[in-house]
Amino acid sequence: MLSRPKPGECEEDLLEFQKQFLAARASAAATVVRKADKRKGASEEVRKGGADRDVVSLQDFPDLPPILTPGPTKKSKVAGTRVHFAEEDLEDIIEEHDQHITAVISKIVERDTSTSTITAPVPTGEAFPRVFHRSEIASVAMPKSGKVSIFAQKMAAKRAAEAGKSSEASTTAPQYGSSMGSVNDENKSSQRTGVDESCLVTGEGLRSSTGYEEAQRIHRENVQKLKALSQEEILQERDRLMAQLDPKLVAFMRSKRESKTTQENTSPAVEPQTVDIEHSHHCTVTVSSKISSKDEENPGSLSVDDFPVKPQKEWVNMNNVEFEKLEWTKNLPQTRQTKTKKGMQARFSLKGDLIPPDADMPAYLGLHHHGEEAERAGYSLQELFHLSRSQFIQQRTLSLQVLGRIVKKAKQGEFASVLKGSVLRLLLDAGFLFLLRFSIDDPIDNVISASIGALHSLLVSQDDEEYLDKTFSWYQGSKVFPFIPNQEEEEEEDEEEDEDELEKGFINKTTRKADKQKDKEEKKPDFDVARYDAIKGLLKTKFHHRLRYILEVVRPPASVVLQIFDILTRVARHSATACSQLLDCPRLMETIVREFLPLQWSVEMESDDLGPSSLHGVPCAAAMKCLRVLAASGRHAAARLLNTFDMKSRLSRFVVQEPQDLPLLKEEAVRLSTETFRLWAIAAGYGQACDIYRELYSVLVGILQSFPSLITSCKGNTTPVTLSIQRAAAVITLLTHVTQTAGCTSELEAQLHSTPIDTEPQVPPPAVSWADITGLLPSVDGCLRRCLQEISRNNVWDLLQPFTTASINFLASYYKAAGLQPSLNTVLCNEEVEKLTDTMLLPFLHHTTVQCMWDSLRSCSAVSNQLSCAPLPESVSSIVTLSCAGGKPPFSLPGQKSPYPILTAVLNLICSITNIHKGLVGKFSFIMGYKGLQNYLREISECPTPPVTPSSNWLLRHEYHFQYFVLSLLYKVTAMYPEHSQHASLCHSVSITLLSRLLPGSEHLAHKIISSFTFNPVFMPEGSSGGPQAADLSDILHITSDAKQVLPGSVAAVSVTPSRGALLEEAFKDLPSIQACYLIHFAHMKQALDYSKVVYQERTCFVWTAMLPEAKGPILPSDWSFLPLINLYNKVANAETKGNNVNSLPPDLVNTVTRNLQWILLLETWRPSSLQTIPTAAKLARLACVFLTGSDLFLEGPVHSYTAALTVFYCQPKFMESLKLDAPLPGLASFYDFYMDLLEQFEAVSFGDPLFGTFVLLPLQRRFGVQLRQVLFGEHVSSLRSLSVPLKEFPIPLTLYTSPPEDNLNLLRLYFRSLVTGALHQAWCPVLYVVAISHMNSFIYSQERVTEEVDAARKNMLRKTYLLVDEGLKKHLLYYKRLSSNSPVGFDLYDTLPPLREKYLQAVTERQQQAKEAI
């Protein structure tokens, strides 16, 4: 490419450039074209064939110069009617008639200045003319319109001085710049036109001696021409000019004329008004009278005195003082707070603090601006959003930093008590998440850093990460729930299609649901996805690709790098899908491993150094933690990190060298070592990276041997000591997972040898055997004993608890795996566990500190203190947090004083060693006698089930582990020593409650509780100690209720219905069958059950992920006791919906329903607290499924007997008082629809069964909605003939149906019609007959003030009743007195009507008779 000439090159250089250009034969940047004049047409030379002019044409450059003042669009009304010929050129016609102002301006001829006098400069004798300073210019009145340069002001002052010397008495010529001149007497003709001088042409810019005269001469010529024209011609010419000129130009001319007229209307004797502003230089500034007049019209307008800074003459372009533009310089108005109910807009400081509305803050803090409420300091969220999109880098950066600080403080709950609403929710609804996403794409480093900081404040909670790291060494602490929000508003799935294909074996239901969800999310816009899941919305925008670019290319400072790793860690905790996207991001993992986990680095720092300014090329603990969380998503992810990204060499590198020997900051080195061991522990939990264990065995033993000295050195709660203890706990956790893996080796080797060759490949045995880990036991045992010696020193004991917990869990896993080894020496193992029990466990359990731990169970419980794990006020559903902001109290489940981690580990160890040596069970029976434990168990069995939220499930899971081990220990003690079963009933209630609370991932624990504890007769001592007889005695003596205890009969009954005691005794004997019935329910969750079993049996080689299933709720619902009955009803409902045969039900349907009803009766009688959380309406609705499942199932003897017993039980007053049908019921979309189905089933298959009729009558009580009664007496009036429930067998008091009197006129008319027509008869439906008679009698005799319609209706009914032919019905309606249980009809009658009623009856009937006679 040829270079351009540069300054300093001579002509010879230019010729050389020309030669090079010609030799290169390159195309020129400008081309020569021959083009005719467009306006004049072809030139004469072109017509004659001569040579054209040379015209230079540049690329992308217009041929004609742009028109500065474009003409208006021409619109002709007659253009469409003109006749045009084909040979006419429209462009030529337009150009020919064009009279635009530009055509006139282009023909301007300059004035002849040949006769003008030219004055030569006066010689001064100096090298250069003297420089004039603007301060030397004399004050002169300048014209109001137009801007005058400093040089023009100087020259005007000079000429004015010269003119004053030559003719002091001359006043005919006005001074330059004067806005008001005397009128020349010669211009009398112009006075007749109303204009004495030109408003546009003033002569400015010409010489002062001739400029004004030239302007007046032109003005007189114009006036003479106007006088020669008539009025009509003037108007036509004006209209033509107005049509051609630009409207903006016309407006400008009019403004000039108006300003001129305003000046002339003022009195000539009045001088221009001036405002003298006195300041240090005593100079004055002239202000036009227009502003003064404006100030007089607006008393509240501004003046110069209002401003702290006075305008001065020396200031450039300050001839006119524009007060509205200087208003910002005024002093701030006083802050005022109006007393109003509406809240004031929140304003924040640059540190993110909320500024009180009445705060008086100085202006130098930089918190005042010119937006709304200028007197208030601070910035609102709207203003910060506006600044974040500013063109100025500093404003964008500052606004993002302030927003990040506001978000951080909001998450800590600092604004919850003073602000209305949620700051985070408001920001997210306003698009804050996408504002940060767009800001990350900014090319400016400062903006990127501020955006990353704000995103870090929004997504990351350092306290959450701290507590998750703390629980890593707990029992099953490495397993965590995904941080997936519970999406409340999702589109409905096509479940029927899935069920059909699942039954045919076509698909996996879970896989199909996941695929459908993925397809829907891909179709949704980013904003809709982020509305319910912020992390998923960000991943959809590929923001992790941008983070990779920032790490790899931008290379931000260390603080930003750490924030990016925290964000990536938070994204990895979201789900396995998010981890997969991070692993698949191009060059992200490579950049992290290469830049932030190098094997060699040269940066050396002292212990007091603040750290490197750049983390690139230096190992970073945050990067190792990010990879650890990614590895926890699954064994496939861990294998990719170990093999593809060469993390094995990094593990070896950072394990071999002690932290103090690493060229890093001491604390950073310890953190890096800790995260290295945790990553290795995660991999070992999958059976991976065990070959490194064999290679580094000597190093690990050396680390174990250094722990006793570490324990001895623990003297204060300092950060280095805490980090060292966490590192030690991570090492023990690693050894625990390696031990669990080694315990699976013998099983896998046996499977490998016994499996035929042609079968599917089996899981290969790990690279570590049981013999490789047996040498670890003495070292860990010694460390644990050394820790337990410090139990009396509270401060040291609190520091050592993480290490102690991890060591006890190691022993539990070791003995659990040892009991499964074929090479186990039972005698030696029993001796070891006996020694462990006598020398360590029992002294530890009898220590006063441990006894205090049992007493603190209730105060630290998350189940009892549900507010301790409640979501924070500022938590939003789209961003999952653990609500640990600000830390947890010491006496809470994750707090420093919590007894749960160490007591859970101890109980786990006890269960492990008692499985090997069952004779040791009796030595631990004293644990169940602790009062603190008993009070805790009693409280958790009675308190409501805590809600499952992301902030509670991670804590509840650990507490449920503790409860499970307590039950397991009690089970072992009771099985070996039945005399220690005094707490069996309490623990049985705990087991039933725990079943309805266990979270996903704990299916194995639920199965163990059902199979060995819940249905164990030993834990229901009432069945063998007179419980059934006590129930019969209670029913006979009416101890529990004053309701009638007669069970409803059956139309198919052939024998006497058994009593409740007999039914309880039979149910107690059938507990094994009941247990089998409920265990069948786990068949549909077999896959989850099998995997949970693998996890809790610690078979690491079969574990696929350390991430628990998503916890949307407990494994079993709160009404799991009704589960078999609900499943059967759903199957019938689905079959009817699909049109299948309902008779295709299981052959053992009667047994299944009977076992379910037996278990419910047992619980309601002997464990009522286990079902008290279920609403009474929900219980009755689920019990009604007996009538909706099958056609005649309820007629079966056992089913009918247990259903009748439960119905009578639920009809007791304490249940009826709590019965609410208008509240939402779990599992029911609408109770009205459910009742309609029940009515239709009753009409079809009831055969008048009293028990079925009782269920139909139960929701018709007076206090419930009138819709149900209207449906029965309206659409289903035929059902009244079958509702033959005897009054003696009806378990509900009739007063609930008759009181208060009915006031719904439509329902009363239905009552009256059914009675009169005979649809409601006393022999067919005695209960509703009594109800209808009672309400009708009260209505027809009512004399309250009502509307005319109601009054006419009741009098009409009374007359019709009086004229009834049916004397029995007439007597019942007129002579009804009150309800009576002794009467065969259910009510008593008056012998004679009371006088008031008799008088009212005669008045109504006589009035009717008189009306008939009048007619």
Side-chain angles (χ1 to χ4, degrees):
M1 181 177 180
L2 299 176
S3 60
R4 292 180 175 273
K6 300 179 180 177
E9 294 177 344
C10 61
E11 186 175 358
E12 295 179 359
D13 297 328
L14 297 178
L15 294 175
E16 184 64 23
F17 284 137
Q18 182 180 358
K19 292 180 182 180
Q20 294 178 5
F21 174 78
L22 296 176
R25 295 183 178 179
S27 59
T31 59
V32 179
V33 297
R34 307 193 183 278
K35 193 171 185 181
D37 188 359
K38 183 178 180 182
R39 182 175 295 275
K40 298 180 180 180
S43 63
E44 293 180 1
E45 295 179 357
V46 175
R47 296 191 188 100
K48 297 177 181 180
D52 296 339
R53 292 184 303 162
D54 293 341
V55 181
V56 178
S57 176
L58 297 179
Q59 187 177 2
D60 298 331
F61 197 82
D63 297 332
L64 296 176
I67 299 175
L68 298 179
T69 307
T73 305
K74 301 180 179 64
K75 297 182 180 180
S76 176
K77 299 181 179 180
V78 297
T81 60
R82 292 178 180 173
V83 179
H84 301 281
F85 298 94
E87 62 274 9
E88 292 182 353
D89 189 1
L90 295 180
E91 183 177 359
D92 295 338
I93 296 175
I94 294 175
E95 294 293 343
E96 181 180 355
H97 295 84
D98 187 11
Q99 297 296 329
H100 190 257
I101 188 64
T102 55
V104 179
I105 294 176
S106 62
K107 297 179 182 179
I108 292 178
V109 180
E110 292 185 6
R111 184 172 57 87
D112 185 12
T113 59
S114 59
T115 60
S116 300
T117 303
I118 300 176
T119 304
V122 180
T124 60
E126 298 179 359
F128 296 95
R130 182 174 176 273
V131 179
F132 291 92
H133 194 270
R134 60 172 175 254
S135 61
E136 301 177 3
I137 303 174
S139 177
V140 62
M142 301 300 295
K144 176 175 67 68
S145 60
K147 295 182 179 180
V148 181
S149 65
I150 299 175
F151 180 77
Q153 296 179 29
K154 169 185 165 304
M155 297 302 296
K158 183 178 179 181
R159 293 190 185 100
E162 293 176 354
K165 292 179 181 180
S166 61
S167 178
E168 296 180 358
S170 177
T171 57
T172 56
Q175 296 294 325
Y176 176 79
S178 176
S179 59
M180 296 180 62
S182 61
V183 181
N184 197 332
D185 295 337
E186 298 177 358
N187 297 335
K188 296 180 179 180
S189 61
S190 63
Q191 291 180 0
R192 287 191 295 268
T193 63
V195 180
D196 56 355
E197 62 181 10
S198 175
C199 299
L200 299 178
V201 183
T202 61
E204 295 181 9
L206 301 177
R207 295 189 57 160
S208 58
S209 59
T210 59
Y212 181 75
E213 296 177 357
E214 184 69 18
Q216 289 298 321
R217 185 182 64 80
I218 296 173
H219 176 63
R220 287 193 295 270
E221 291 178 0
N222 293 336
V223 173
Q224 292 295 333
K225 289 182 179 181
L226 288 175
K227 289 175 62 177
L229 299 177
S230 64
Q231 188 70 18
E232 295 180 357
E233 291 175 344
I234 293 175
L235 292 177
Q236 291 178 1
E237 191 67 19
R238 187 192 66 174
D239 295 340
R240 185 181 66 82
L241 289 175
M242 294 288 288
Q244 292 180 355
L245 295 177
D246 187 3
K248 296 180 180 178
L249 183 58
V250 175
F252 170 73
M253 293 178 179
R254 285 178 174 175
S255 64
K256 296 285 289 183
R257 175 62 181 269
E258 291 174 358
S259 62
K260 186 71 175 179
T261 305
T262 304
Q263 281 188 341
E264 292 178 350
N265 290 336
T266 59
S267 175
V270 179
E271 298 293 333
Q273 298 185 13
T274 61
V275 179
D276 296 334
I277 308 173
E278 295 187 2
H279 44 78
S280 58
H281 298 285
H282 302 282
C283 59
T284 61
V285 179
T286 302
V287 184
S288 66
S289 60
K290 180 179 179 180
I291 299 178
S292 299
S293 62
K294 181 178 179 181
D295 293 341
E296 294 176 359
E297 294 174 2
N298 186 8
S301 61
L302 301 174
S303 63
V304 179
D305 296 333
D306 296 332
F307 301 103
V309 179
K310 306 300 188 288
Q312 301 183 17
K313 175 185 175 182
E314 289 82 3
W315 294 355
V316 180
N317 297 331
M318 287 296 291
N319 298 330
N320 273 347
V321 179
E322 301 179 72
F323 290 124
E324 63 275 5
K325 294 184 179 179
L326 293 176
E327 188 176 359
W328 65 273
T329 63
K330 292 196 317 176
N331 291 328
L332 291 173
Q334 294 295 329
T335 304
R336 59 185 184 276
Q337 183 179 8
T338 57
K339 295 182 179 180
T340 175
K341 294 183 178 179
K342 287 189 65 176
M344 302 184 69
Q345 190 176 29
R347 293 190 172 273
F348 302 88
S349 68
L350 299 181
K351 295 182 180 180
D353 298 322
L354 182 67
I355 299 178
D358 55 349
D360 188 10
M361 306 186 72
Y364 63 80
L365 295 178
L367 297 178
H368 294 83
H369 51 86
H370 318 303
E372 298 179 358
E373 301 177 333
E375 70 276 6
R376 292 187 57 196
Y379 292 84
S380 65
L381 295 178
Q382 182 180 2
E383 291 165 351
L384 290 172
F385 262 68
H386 180 72
L387 287 178
S388 65
R389 307 309 298 166
S390 172
Q391 295 181 357
F392 296 96
I393 299 174
Q394 293 84 352
Q395 289 184 348
R396 296 204 304 272
T397 304
L398 179 63
S399 63
L400 292 172
Q401 290 174 347
V402 175
L403 285 172
R405 296 174 189 134
I406 293 173
V407 169
K408 187 174 182 179
K409 292 179 181 294
K411 291 177 65 176
Q412 294 174 354
E414 295 187 10
F415 308 141
S417 59
V418 292
L419 289 183
K420 183 179 180 180
S422 171
V423 174
L424 288 183
R425 193 171 295 110
L426 178 64
L427 287 173
L428 291 176
D429 291 343
F432 181 58
L433 186 67
F434 288 96
L435 171 65
L436 298 180
R437 176 63 187 90
F438 301 150
S439 300
I440 292 177
D441 293 335
D442 199 289
I444 307 302
D445 292 349
N446 290 341
V447 179
I448 294 176
S449 301
S451 304
I452 293 295
L455 191 63
H456 180 271
S457 301
L458 179 64
L459 299 180
V460 180
S461 175
Q462 296 288 2
D463 295 325
D464 290 355
E465 293 295 329
E466 180 182 348
Y467 280 99
L468 286 176
D469 293 341
K470 180 180 179 180
T471 59
F472 188 84
S473 59
W474 293 11
Y475 175 73
Q476 296 286 335
S478 61
K479 312 290 191 303
V480 294
F481 288 102
F483 284 22
I484 301 178
N486 292 328
Q487 299 183 7
E488 299 177 357
E489 298 181 12
E490 291 182 335
E491 297 181 5
E492 297 182 358
E493 300 287 344
D494 191 2
E495 297 291 347
E496 297 180 1
E497 180 181 356
D498 290 349
E499 291 177 0
D500 292 342
E501 296 181 357
L502 184 63
E503 291 176 359
K504 298 176 183 178
F506 291 158
I507 63 168
N508 186 317
K509 185 176 181 180
T510 305
T511 305
R512 180 177 179 84
K513 186 175 182 179
D515 294 340
K516 280 189 174 183
Q517 186 68 18
K518 184 177 180 180
D519 295 340
K520 289 181 179 179
E521 290 174 356
E522 290 178 353
K523 296 177 182 178
K524 287 182 179 179
D526 298 346
F527 179 79
D528 291 344
V529 176
R531 182 181 176 186
Y532 302 107
D533 194 334
I535 298 296
K536 192 177 294 184
L538 286 174
L539 289 174
K540 201 169 185 295
T541 63
K542 307 294 183 183
F543 95 113
H544 49 299
H545 293 261
R546 179 62 179 174
L547 295 183
R548 188 273 310 163
Y549 176 83
I550 295 173
L551 289 176
E552 184 180 15
V553 180
V554 180
R555 302 172 74 88
S559 59
V560 179
V561 171
L562 293 177
Q563 290 175 345
I564 290 177
F565 281 128
D566 290 342
I567 293 173
L568 291 175
T569 303
R570 173 62 182 82
V571 173
R573 291 196 183 278
H574 177 270
S575 62
T577 304
C579 293
S580 177
Q581 295 185 41
L582 293 181
L583 288 170
D584 295 337
C585 181
R587 300 197 309 278
L588 176 59
M589 294 297 109
E590 291 87 343
T591 302
I592 293 176
V593 175
R594 181 184 67 253
E595 296 290 344
F596 305 102
L597 292 173
L599 294 175
Q600 296 179 355
W601 64 97
S602 59
V603 180
E604 296 183 1
M605 287 163 290
E606 302 295 334
S607 59
D608 57 347
D609 197 351
L610 297 178
S613 58
S614 176
L615 288 180
H616 287 75
V618 181
C620 178
M624 187 68 75
K625 179 178 180 179
C626 179
L627 298 184
R628 185 249 295 181
V629 178
L630 284 172
S633 64
R635 64 168 45 245
H636 179 64
R640 288 182 63 182
L641 291 174
L642 293 175
N643 301 316
T644 305
F645 303 109
D646 194 24
M647 284 303 299
K648 284 188 177 181
S649 59
R650 268 77 181 172
L651 293 179
S652 303
R653 170 69 177 85
F654 301 123
V655 168
V656 170
Q657 197 168 5
E658 289 292 329
Q660 59 270 19
D661 298 333
L662 293 174
L664 296 170
L665 289 176
K666 184 177 180 180
E667 293 183 3
E668 179 66 16
V670 176
R671 289 191 179 95
L672 177 62
S673 180
T674 302
E675 291 301 333
T676 302
F677 282 111
R678 287 173 178 170
L679 173 59
W680 192 1
I682 291 293
Y686 302 133
Q688 301 173 355
C690 292
D691 52 339
I692 309 178
Y693 168 81
R694 300 182 65 178
E695 298 172 359
L696 303 180
Y697 179 79
S698 59
V699 177
L700 294 174
V701 172
I703 294 175
L704 283 176
Q705 293 174 353
S706 66
F707 287 162
S709 61
L710 173 64
I711 298 171
T712 306
S713 63
C714 292
K715 297 181 180 179
N717 189 6
T718 60
T719 302
V721 174
T722 303
L723 293 177
S724 300
I725 294 298
Q726 291 180 358
R727 174 177 176 268
V731 173
I732 300 299
T733 303
L734 164 65
L735 299 180
T736 302
H737 290 179
V738 173
T739 302
Q740 296 170 359
T741 302
C744 303
T745 304
S746 59
E747 177 188 358
L748 294 176
E749 289 177 348
Q751 292 181 0
L752 186 63
H753 293 307
S754 62
T755 303
I757 301 177
D758 55 347
T759 57
E760 296 181 359
Q762 300 293 325
V763 177
V768 61
S769 63
W770 184 252
D772 297 329
I773 57 95
T774 53
L776 300 175
L777 181 62
S779 299
V780 178
D781 184 84
C783 294
L784 177 59
R785 293 177 184 274
R786 183 68 186 84
C787 289
L788 296 180
Q789 293 176 5
E790 305 292 337
I791 191 172
S792 299
R793 301 168 58 188
N794 293 333
N795 296 335
V796 178
W797 173 248
D798 292 340
L799 285 175
L800 293 176
Q801 279 202 29
F803 180 74
T804 306
T805 301
S807 301
I808 296 175
N809 284 328
F810 171 82
L811 294 180
S813 298
Y814 180 87
Y815 286 112
K816 184 181 296 184
L820 303 176
Q821 301 304 312
S823 60
L824 175 67
N825 189 333
T826 308
V827 177
L828 293 178
C829 187
N830 288 343
E831 292 178 355
E832 287 181 7
V833 296
E834 287 179 359
K835 181 181 177 180
L836 178 68
T837 301
D838 296 334
T839 60
M840 187 172 64
L841 282 179
L842 291 179
F844 172 73
L845 290 172
H846 286 96
H847 198 276
T848 55
T849 303
V850 179
Q851 293 178 1
C852 294
M853 288 183 182
W854 299 105
D855 296 333
S856 62
L857 286 173
R858 285 195 301 170
S859 58
C860 297
S861 171
V863 178
S864 301
N865 308 296
Q866 297 182 10
L867 292 179
S868 63
C869 56
L872 295 176
E874 282 287 350
S875 61
V876 291
S877 59
S878 60
I879 301 177
V880 174
T881 61
L882 303 184
S883 300
C884 297
K888 294 288 187 179
F891 284 96
S892 61
L893 198 145
Q896 189 176 9
K897 301 291 185 180
S898 175
Y900 286 95
I902 193 166
L903 290 182
T904 303
V906 170
L907 292 174
N908 182 25
L909 177 58
I910 293 173
C911 292
S912 298
I913 63 178
T914 52
N915 287 334
I916 298 175
H917 193 333
K918 293 181 172 54
L920 298 176
V921 173
K923 293 185 177 182
F924 300 103
S925 59
F926 68 92
I927 294 178
M928 303 306 301
Y930 283 125
K931 291 295 184 181
L933 178 60
Q934 295 177 15
N935 295 335
Y936 166 74
L937 295 177
R938 188 173 295 105
E939 183 168 348
I940 63 173
S941 63
E942 296 175 355
C943 66
T945 301
V948 178
T949 60
S951 59
S952 65
N953 54 22
W954 70 289
L955 293 176
L956 295 175
R957 178 171 174 266
H958 293 293
E959 186 169 356
Y960 295 158
H961 287 160
F962 171 78
Q963 297 176 12
Y964 171 76
F965 284 124
V966 170
L967 295 178
S968 298
L969 178 61
L970 178 63
Y971 174 75
K972 295 176 184 296
V973 171
T974 307
M976 295 290 297
Y977 307 97
E979 63 273 10
H980 292 88
S981 61
Q982 61 269 24
H983 307 295
S985 299
L986 175 60
C987 292
H988 188 251
S989 299
V990 174
S991 69
I992 297 173
T993 306
L994 183 59
L995 267 179
S996 61
R997 295 176 179 176
L998 286 174
L999 301 174
S1002 303
E1003 290 82 3
H1004 174 66
L1005 302 185
H1007 188 272
K1008 290 283 291 183
I1009 292 175
I1010 290 178
S1011 59
S1012 60
F1013 203 93
T1014 304
F1015 298 96
N1016 193 333
V1018 178
F1019 298 101
M1020 297 188 73
E1022 296 86 352
S1024 56
S1025 58
Q1029 293 78 9
D1032 283 341
L1033 183 61
S1034 174
D1035 293 343
I1036 294 173
L1037 300 178
H1038 301 282
I1039 294 177
T1040 60
S1041 172
D1042 57 354
K1044 292 175 277 190
Q1045 297 296 324
V1046 180
L1047 299 181
S1050 172
V1051 294
V1054 294
S1055 59
V1056 180
T1057 303
S1059 63
R1060 185 161 66 107
L1063 296 175
L1064 288 172
E1065 185 175 1
E1066 182 184 5
F1068 181 77
K1069 294 178 181 179
D1070 291 339
L1071 276 177
S1073 301
I1074 298 174
Q1075 177 186 6
C1077 173
Y1078 280 88
L1079 285 176
I1080 295 175
H1081 170 70
F1082 284 90
H1084 77 278
M1085 58 173 67
K1086 185 178 185 304
Q1087 184 177 0
L1089 177 61
D1090 293 342
Y1091 182 75
S1092 177
K1093 184 177 180 181
V1094 166
V1095 172
Y1096 281 99
Q1097 289 182 350
E1098 299 177 353
R1099 301 167 64 191
T1100 56
C1101 294
F1102 300 94
V1103 175
W1104 288 99
T1105 178
M1107 191 172 287
L1108 296 170
E1110 182 181 357
K1112 294 183 178 180
I1115 301 172
L1116 299 176
S1118 58
D1119 58 347
W1120 64 270
S1121 303
F1122 295 88
L1123 206 54
L1125 190 57
I1126 295 174
N1127 290 338
L1128 290 174
Y1129 168 73
N1130 291 335
K1131 189 172 184 179
V1132 171
N1134 293 335
E1136 291 178 347
T1137 302
K1138 299 173 185 178
N1140 298 336
N1141 187 8
V1142 182
N1143 295 327
S1144 59
L1145 292 173
D1148 58 343
L1149 176 62
V1150 176
N1151 290 333
T1152 301
V1153 175
T1154 302
R1155 301 296 175 252
N1156 193 177
L1157 297 175
Q1158 286 177 332
W1159 178 243
I1160 296 172
L1161 183 61
L1162 288 174
L1163 293 182
E1164 290 288 5
T1165 305
W1166 293 335
R1167 301 289 181 269
S1169 60
S1170 61
L1171 298 177
Q1172 65 182 1
T1173 58
I1174 307 175
T1176 303
K1179 294 179 181 179
L1180 291 171
R1182 282 146 179 76
L1183 192 59
C1185 293
V1186 173
F1187 305 100
L1188 298 175
T1189 304
S1191 57
D1192 55 355
L1193 175 64
F1194 66 95
L1195 296 178
E1196 298 290 338
V1199 175
H1200 194 280
S1201 299
Y1202 284 101
T1203 304
L1206 287 172
T1207 302
V1208 172
F1209 186 83
Y1210 289 140
C1211 289
Q1212 296 178 11
K1214 63 178 181 180
F1215 290 101
M1216 288 293 103
E1217 292 175 0
S1218 62
L1219 181 61
K1220 297 179 180 180
L1221 300 181
D1222 53 347
L1225 299 178
L1228 277 184
S1230 170
F1231 186 84
Y1232 177 83
D1233 296 337
F1234 180 80
Y1235 187 74
M1236 292 292 294
D1237 295 339
L1238 191 67
L1239 270 180
E1240 293 174 358
Q1241 185 78 351
F1242 177 80
E1243 292 177 347
V1245 300
S1246 67
F1247 302 106
D1249 184 72
L1251 179 61
F1252 202 162
T1254 300
F1255 265 87
V1256 173
L1257 294 173
L1258 195 149
L1260 303 180
Q1261 299 178 35
R1262 175 65 180 88
R1263 58 193 178 98
F1264 299 139
V1266 72
Q1267 294 85 0
L1268 301 181
R1269 298 191 292 275
Q1270 287 179 339
V1271 166
L1272 179 61
F1273 282 89
E1275 302 174 14
H1276 297 271
V1277 68
S1278 59
S1279 302
L1280 298 176
R1281 190 176 181 88
S1282 303
L1283 282 171
S1284 55
V1285 181
L1287 294 175
K1288 297 294 184 181
E1289 297 181 4
F1290 191 61
I1292 306 173
L1294 291 179
T1295 53
L1296 299 179
Y1297 293 82
T1298 59
S1299 179
E1302 184 64 59
D1303 56 357
N1304 186 279
L1305 182 59
N1306 294 329
L1307 181 59
L1308 289 169
R1309 287 171 175 170
L1310 292 176
Y1311 282 160
F1312 189 74
R1313 186 185 66 180
S1314 60
L1315 288 171
V1316 172
T1317 59
L1320 180 61
H1321 197 273
Q1322 195 273 334
W1324 299 338
C1325 187
V1327 175
L1328 291 183
Y1329 183 81
V1330 175
V1331 173
I1333 291 294
S1334 174
H1335 286 304
M1336 290 306 305
N1337 178 267
S1338 176
F1339 179 69
I1340 60 179
Y1341 283 117
S1342 175
Q1343 301 181 31
E1344 298 178 355
R1345 291 185 178 181
V1346 292
T1347 61
E1348 295 181 359
E1349 180 185 5
V1350 176
D1351 183 65
R1354 65 187 179 186
K1355 291 180 179 178
N1356 185 30
M1357 291 181 186
L1358 181 58
R1359 297 187 192 101
K1360 291 182 178 179
T1361 302
Y1362 183 77
L1363 300 175
L1364 281 176
V1365 179
D1366 188 347
E1367 293 295 334
L1369 177 60
K1370 176 180 178 180
K1371 185 176 182 180
H1372 288 170
L1373 286 173
L1374 295 178
Y1375 289 87
Y1376 173 84
K1377 184 177 182 181
R1378 60 175 176 268
L1379 295 175
S1380 175
S1381 58
N1382 298 324
S1383 174
V1385 295
F1387 53 87
D1388 293 334
L1389 299 175
Y1390 286 107
D1391 295 332
T1392 59
L1393 286 177
L1396 291 177
R1397 290 193 174 188
E1398 180 71 25
K1399 183 178 180 180
Y1400 179 73
L1401 177 61
Q1402 292 179 359
V1404 173
T1405 54
E1406 288 178 358
R1407 194 174 306 164
Q1408 179 185 16
Q1409 186 66 25
Q1410 293 175 0
K1412 289 183 178 180
E1413 293 177 355
I1415 293 174

